[in-house]
């Protein structure tokens, strides 16, 4: 008669394993997205364009370099390029994070930053973004 308690313990153990496995597969979350944006802007503020560029989606980095006519790392800190707008927006705390599938939107007091999942982390796909009503955001850096 002690079969029922044993089956209950086995079922509980199985549920625990399933929950642990699901948590491990969940991927990066809100805190991770906010951290990438904080690190991106910290690198911009410190004048470390290469570190900031490493947090961008490769296509966004290539587009920025092409438009600026200089390497991505230089354009991200150059006041006459994207760096001028980005430097003004650096240091603002994260106000909100919105996740939708493999995409994230991180809102600060001075910016809206868009990210995409890349493996077990997030990469910035657009930064220095201003809303334009019903039209798409206008961004300094985007892919």
């Amino acid at each position: 008669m002690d079969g029922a308690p044993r089956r209950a313990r086995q079922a509980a153990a199985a549920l625990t394993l399933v929950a642990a496995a699901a948590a491990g597969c969940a991927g990066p979350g809100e805190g991770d997205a906010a951290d990438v944006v904080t690190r991106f802007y910290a690198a911009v503020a410190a004048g470390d364009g290469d570190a900031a560029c490493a947090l961008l989606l490769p296509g966004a980095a290539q587009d920025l370099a092409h438009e600026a006519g200089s390497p991505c790392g230089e354009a991200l800190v150059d006041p006459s390029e994207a760096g001028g707008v980005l430097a003004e927006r650096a240091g603002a705390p994260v106000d909100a994070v919105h996740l939708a599938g493999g995409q994230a939107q991180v809102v600060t007091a001075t910016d809206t930053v868009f990210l995409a999942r890349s493996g077990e982390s997030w990469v910035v796909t657009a930064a220095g973004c201003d809303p334009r009503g019903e039209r798409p955001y206008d961004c300094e850096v985007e892919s």
Side-chain angles (χ1 to χ4, degrees):
M1 296 282 158
D2 102 313
R6 189 173 97 217
R7 281 193 301 273
R9 285 193 304 273
Q10 288 173 339
L15 286 174
T16 301
L17 289 174
V18 168
C25 295
E30 291 181 7
D32 302 308
D35 181 58
V36 168
V37 171
T38 300
R39 288 187 294 132
F40 175 78
Y41 272 112
V44 168
D48 191 350
D50 291 336
C53 193
L55 296 170
L56 290 177
L57 179 74
Q62 291 170 353
D63 289 350
L64 177 63
H66 178 74
E67 288 177 24
S70 61
C72 172
E74 290 178 21
L76 284 175
V77 295
D78 183 343
S80 66
E81 296 294 339
V85 170
L86 297 176
E88 293 173 2
R89 298 175 184 218
V94 171
D95 291 336
V97 178
H98 308 284
L99 301 181
Q103 306 293 314
Q105 179 189 55
V106 177
V107 180
T108 72
T110 59
D111 198 7
T112 299
V113 182
F114 296 91
L115 302 97
R117 275 195 186 141
S118 177
E120 290 299 313
S121 63
W122 294 101
V123 291
V124 174
T125 59
C129 300
D130 295 314
R132 299 185 303 170
E134 295 296 316
R135 298 177 21 206
Y137 281 76
D138 179 33
C139 302
E140 286 296 311
V141 177
E142 63 186 321
S143 60

